[in-house]
Amino acid sequence: MSETAKLVLGEKTIELPIIKGTEGEHAVDITKLRSQTGYITIDNGYMNTGSCTSDITFLNGEKGILRYRGYKIEDLAEHSNFIETSYLLINGVLPTKRQLDFFNEKIVSFATLPSGITRMLDTFPRDAHPMGVLSAGVAALSAYYPDFLDHDLSDSEKDRAVAQLMAQVKVMMAYFYRRAKSEEPVRSHPSLGYCADFMNMIQYKPGYEVDHEVAKAMNVLLILHADHEQNCSASTVRMVGSSNANVFATISAGIDALWGPLHGGANQAVLEMLETIKKNGGDYKKFIKKAKDKNDSFKLMGFGHRVYKNFDPRANIIKKACDTVLTKLGVQDPLLDIAKGLEEEARSDSYFVERNLYPNVDFYSGIIYRALGIPTNMFTAMFVLGRLPGWLAQWREQVGSPTAKICRPRQIYTGPGVRDYVPVDERK
Ligand code: ACO
């Protein structure tokens, strides 16, 4: 007999089904709670709410485990590349050589933007934040591909949407990056590989060749960012996708959710924080004090995580990669010393220890992006490039599910009771 949980509400006791995940996680299924009892649950910030079941990503915050489709993040970062990992996330298996080539070719076939999109990108101020530009640009793609407005896409149409977005988001970012610097766009050279091609598109000048270490570091960074189960932006993607909104609108919404400094925008905020500390003479202890002060809104950016309460495995890999990349590129960055100092100080401070606050994925990533020559306001857009296959995998899983439902949480109303309407000239 399947396990149930008993809930006592006044005189009434009801049994609620227990759902188990493959890794031994348990959930109480409250789908019928309201129809059976009239009660709902409240969970501010969804601290304890499972919004779906999913086959894509497993993470255990207490043990610092992260796996994509069963594969350890450490193994993927060491042995895979971003395109192979994207295929894995989206299709559930590691591709054969033929499948990988086909996936790559499909992405490559979309490496140009409709001219209307480039004209639109040309109208933005050069100093516009790339996240706003990307969000608008991705939503605007819907105007050029009306076939995708139909929510009932076939599998091959979904494959096309995936490949198209993986290609066009990359090209859009590179196009706007060069425009911001008043430089001519550089066309895509797919034979370089996804990451090296992107670096070439943004940094090309006569004589430029993408350094192997740079392409490798970017592959690792994008793999580490590729999915993270039901975080704020993935949940936004599922929320918007659940209304049968088209894939462009859905991914554009994910970009907006990622932009916030409590989520993906933290990578930019970390760098800005480190710069401020440097300008203040490198006195990071002062900033640790500020972060602990409850009367000060300052937070140690790149620290803390809703789910990881031990360590963020991505941060460990990035920290190592940071040392390796900077050494190999011969870059000496005083911000790395400040970051390490901050981490050391925080890790031995009871405020951070008691609250299980550790460096997250965003703490060291910006220092690598900086070493790769990527400007600070592009960092969160780099996160978009990495997270795109994860969002697309979440979208595909959701729209393909026979049990998919529109996401529509409830609330407990706490406003005024019923009131009589008073005409404007009679109001006091
Ligand atoms: N600096 C100082 N104190 C912090 C920090 C921080 N970075 N993060 C959490 N705390 C404190 C809170 O003030 C709170 O203290 P209290 O118990 O005395 O009230 C306690 O730790 C718990 O924090 P919450 O904010 O309740 O944790 P929550 O899970 O809601 O938030 C979050 C997680 C948003 C990541 C938070 O830690 C934070 O703001 N970190 C800085 C921003 C950041 O780096 N975001 C990127 C996250 S990774 C990603 O999204 C890709």
Side-chain angles (χ1 to χ4, degrees), residues 261-263 266 291 294 299-306 351-352 355 357 360-362 383:
L262 297 188
H263 190 17
K294 291 290 167 200
K299 279 186 174 187
L300 202 53
M301 299 313 287
F303 254 74
H305 198 275
R306 171 61 61 80
Y351 174 94
F352 293 91
R355 289 170 179 76
L357 301 171
N360 58 48
V361 68
D362 290 321
F383 198 150

Side-chain angles (χ1 to χ4, degrees), residues 2 42 53 66 86 102 105 112 139 149 172 215 246 263 265 290-291 312 319 339 356 367 419 424:
S2 51
I42 282 277
T53 56
L66 174 61
S86 300
F102 186 67
E105 281 161 22
T112 49
L149 298 188
M172 214 181 278
N246 67 76
H263 190 17
K290 266 169 81 62
D312 181 338
K319 188 178 174 187
N356 298 311
I367 296 175
R419 298 196 270 188
V424 67

Side-chain angles (χ1 to χ4, degrees), residues 385-416:
L385 208 55
R387 184 53 58 88
L388 192 54
W391 289 334
L392 290 165
Q394 301 283 344
W395 166 74
R396 269 198 90 141
E397 185 175 73
Q398 183 193 37
V399 296
S401 161
T403 56
K405 284 185 102 57
I406 187 165
C407 298
R408 203 305 186 181
R410 288 186 177 260
Q411 65 161 25
I412 295 293
Y413 174 70
T414 53

Side-chain angles (χ1 to χ4, degrees), residues 263-321:
H263 190 17
N267 58 11
Q268 175 174 342
V270 169
L271 230 286
E272 287 163 354
M273 172 185 79
L274 296 175
E275 292 274 19
T276 308
I277 297 175
K278 186 170 156 243
K279 274 190 206 128
N280 277 268
D283 183 4
Y284 50 79
K285 292 187 184 169
K286 193 166 107 195
F287 287 82
I288 293 273
K289 229 181 193 170
K290 266 169 81 62
K292 297 193 295 183
D293 181 353
K294 291 290 167 200
N295 298 315
D296 190 327
S297 63
F298 175 78
K299 279 186 174 187
L300 202 53
M301 299 313 287
F303 254 74
H305 198 275
R306 171 61 61 80
V307 181
Y308 292 121
K309 298 299 174 197
N310 188 341
F311 65 94
D312 181 338
R314 302 166 301 172
N316 282 4
I317 299 171
I318 289 187
K319 188 178 174 187
K320 266 191 220 142

